[in-house]
Amino acid sequence: MSSHEQEQFLHALRRVELHVHIEGAMTPELLFKIAERNGMQMKHDIFDFSEHLDGSQKATYKEYVDLNQFLNVYTKATEVLKTQEDFKDLAYEYMRKAHSQGVMHAEIFIDVQTYVDRGVEGDKVVHGLDEGFKAGQQEFGITYLMLGCALRHLSSDECVEGIEMLRPYHERGLIHGMGLCSSEKDQPPSKFLPAFQRAREIGFERFTAHAGEDGPASYVTEALDVLGVTRIDHGINGIKDEEVFARLKEEGVMTTLCPLSNISLNVIDHLGELPIRKMLDHDLKFSINSDDPALFNSWILDNYVAIHKEHALSKADWIKISHDSISG
């Protein structure tokens, strides 16, 4: 099969996205639109601009040195989000783009606590997002689940408060699970056990954690043993460790890889560092995802194509990845 035929196959392959942050799907165009609607003047220090042949300019987010610099840009970008309409537009635009990328189901991280702390009502955040996702589901046929987040830069007590903010939305069937997000540096999973315990008491059943991205392989083990997660997000340093790799395989734990995110944040130097062939041959379950697609200017299909170019996978390989994603 020629490379052109393979790319056509990848475009046609239906896929599931298990690791995407909704704020990270806000394109510069949408950001400027929302900022103007809210009477805000955005500083241009987080953007690069290129000029088209017709003289118009296209904005992209600046390249990042590391995860912390990225999180600073991420925070600045989200400051424009203030109204229920803003969150609805954000969710709908993700669904529209996801449809063009062949996504049939998405599980999307949402961050309620950050906005409540800024004075935005939680209902505006959650109901706005749900309205946008529902509109996208009706128009494009994409199913979705919203997952809340415990944020590592907050204290353990603040994360418990954040879980309490999610409680009414879980009870209404709007938020279906929770994850542990943000930079791992000096933030072991065990610190956030009280938040996960409270989430279980409330009735949450779906748990995941960012682990082994900028943290050690031991954080993957800790997330499994202490927090009881059933999915590992990123997990790069875990899958490089033979003992952790063997455990992930044996227990059938899904690892949500975000290859071009890892390149953008200098977590890895090149895609060949990801042991894709080994993971396939040893039947370690993984999915390929975009993470923060607008902020990295790389959507889920871009990640599929990039991995194929680096690892030259077969049709059977891609079908397995797709099936594992669906079951993940």
Side-chain angles (χ1 to χ4, degrees):
M1 184 168 54
S2 69
S3 60
H4 176 67
E5 289 172 328
Q6 186 70 28
E7 288 202 15
Q8 283 186 319
F9 169 75
L10 290 178
H11 277 75
L13 184 68
R14 300 298 90 184
R15 65 195 103 249
V16 168
E17 179 139 63
L18 298 178
H19 185 158
V20 59
H21 300 265
I22 191 57
E23 292 88 353
M26 182 164 53
T27 63
E29 293 80 10
L30 180 59
L31 185 151
F32 292 140
K33 172 187 170 183
I34 292 174
E36 182 178 7
R37 184 166 67 203
N38 290 336
M40 298 178 66
Q41 184 69 41
M42 282 301 299
K43 293 182 179 179
H44 287 177
D45 59 343
I46 63 173
F47 302 106
D48 286 322
F49 293 88
S50 58
E51 189 167 312
H52 291 182
L53 292 176
D54 63 2
S56 63
Q57 288 191 324
K58 177 178 176 59
T60 55
Y61 292 99
K62 285 184 178 292
E63 293 185 1
Y64 313 102
V65 174
D66 56 23
L67 180 57
N68 283 327
Q69 185 198 17
F70 162 77
L71 291 172
N72 287 334
V73 172
Y74 184 100
T75 300
K76 287 183 180 181
T78 62
E79 289 173 355
V80 303
L81 297 167
K82 296 181 177 297
T83 70
Q84 188 160 324
E85 183 182 12
D86 298 342
F87 291 99
K88 178 180 178 180
D89 286 352
L90 176 60
Y92 175 81
E93 287 300 319
Y94 167 74
M95 297 291 265
R96 184 182 64 80
K97 183 68 175 182
H99 173 66
S100 75
Q101 300 277 300
V103 174
M104 56 184 284
H105 174 76
E107 299 191 5
I108 306 147
F109 290 113
I110 71 167
D111 173 10
V112 178
Q113 188 167 10
T114 292
Y115 301 103
V116 171
D117 289 347
R118 291 176 185 169
V120 180
E121 294 175 18
D123 280 0
K124 290 182 179 179
V125 179
V126 178
H127 291 303
L129 290 172
D130 193 53
E131 287 172 6
F133 289 135
K134 274 195 170 70
Q137 182 176 30
Q138 292 170 358
E139 185 169 348
F140 307 117
I142 302 171
T143 57
Y144 69 95
L145 293 175
M146 289 192 285
L147 309 178
C149 292
L151 303 172
R152 275 188 164 97
H153 63 273
L154 300 179
S155 70
S156 177
D157 287 345
E158 287 171 321
C159 286
V160 173
E161 292 172 5
I163 298 305
E164 290 295 343
M165 292 177 191
L166 301 180
R167 179 175 186 165
Y169 308 112
H170 174 69
E171 291 173 346
R172 295 176 213 164
L174 296 175
I175 296 179
H176 295 269
M178 67 165 286
L180 178 60
C181 307
S182 200
S183 175
E184 298 171 73
K185 185 174 176 56
D186 300 321
Q187 301 288 350
S190 56
K191 170 183 171 181
F192 305 94
L193 177 58
F196 278 72
Q197 289 175 325
R198 185 63 188 128
R200 283 190 168 85
E201 292 168 359
I202 288 171
F204 282 93
E205 296 179 348
R206 185 183 297 257
F207 296 96
T208 182
H210 288 46
E213 180 187 16
D214 62 333
S218 62
Y219 281 12
V220 174
T221 303
E222 199 171 306
L224 295 170
D225 289 340
V226 178
L227 301 185
V229 304
T230 55
R231 197 155 79 201
I232 295 293
D233 298 315
H234 292 293
I236 302 300
N237 292 322
I239 60 179
K240 289 180 178 179
D241 180 284
E242 290 298 331
E243 288 187 11
V244 177
F245 184 102
R247 179 176 179 183
L248 294 172
K249 172 191 178 304
E250 181 180 345
E251 297 183 8
V253 177
M254 165 61 67
T255 301
T256 65
L257 300 181
C258 302
L260 294 180
S261 163
N262 297 151
I263 292 290
S264 294
L265 299 181
N266 295 307
V267 174
I268 57 176
D269 293 325
H270 56 83
L271 294 177
E273 291 183 42
L274 298 175
I276 300 295
R277 183 75 267 157
K278 178 182 177 182
M279 295 171 79
L280 286 165
D281 290 346
H282 287 79
D283 198 25
L284 191 153
K285 290 173 60 177
F286 69 94
S287 63
I288 293 174
N289 312 271
S290 66
D291 198 5
D292 297 279
L295 273 75
F296 297 131
N297 197 29
S298 56
W299 298 77
I300 187 170
L301 182 56
D302 299 314
N303 281 266
Y304 271 61
V305 171
I307 285 295
H308 176 70
K309 287 181 177 178
E310 180 66 35
H311 294 275
L313 303 183
S314 67
K315 269 190 176 182
D317 291 332
W318 282 113
I319 290 171
K320 173 174 170 45
I321 292 169
S322 178
H323 285 173
D324 283 350
S325 300
I326 292 169
S327 66

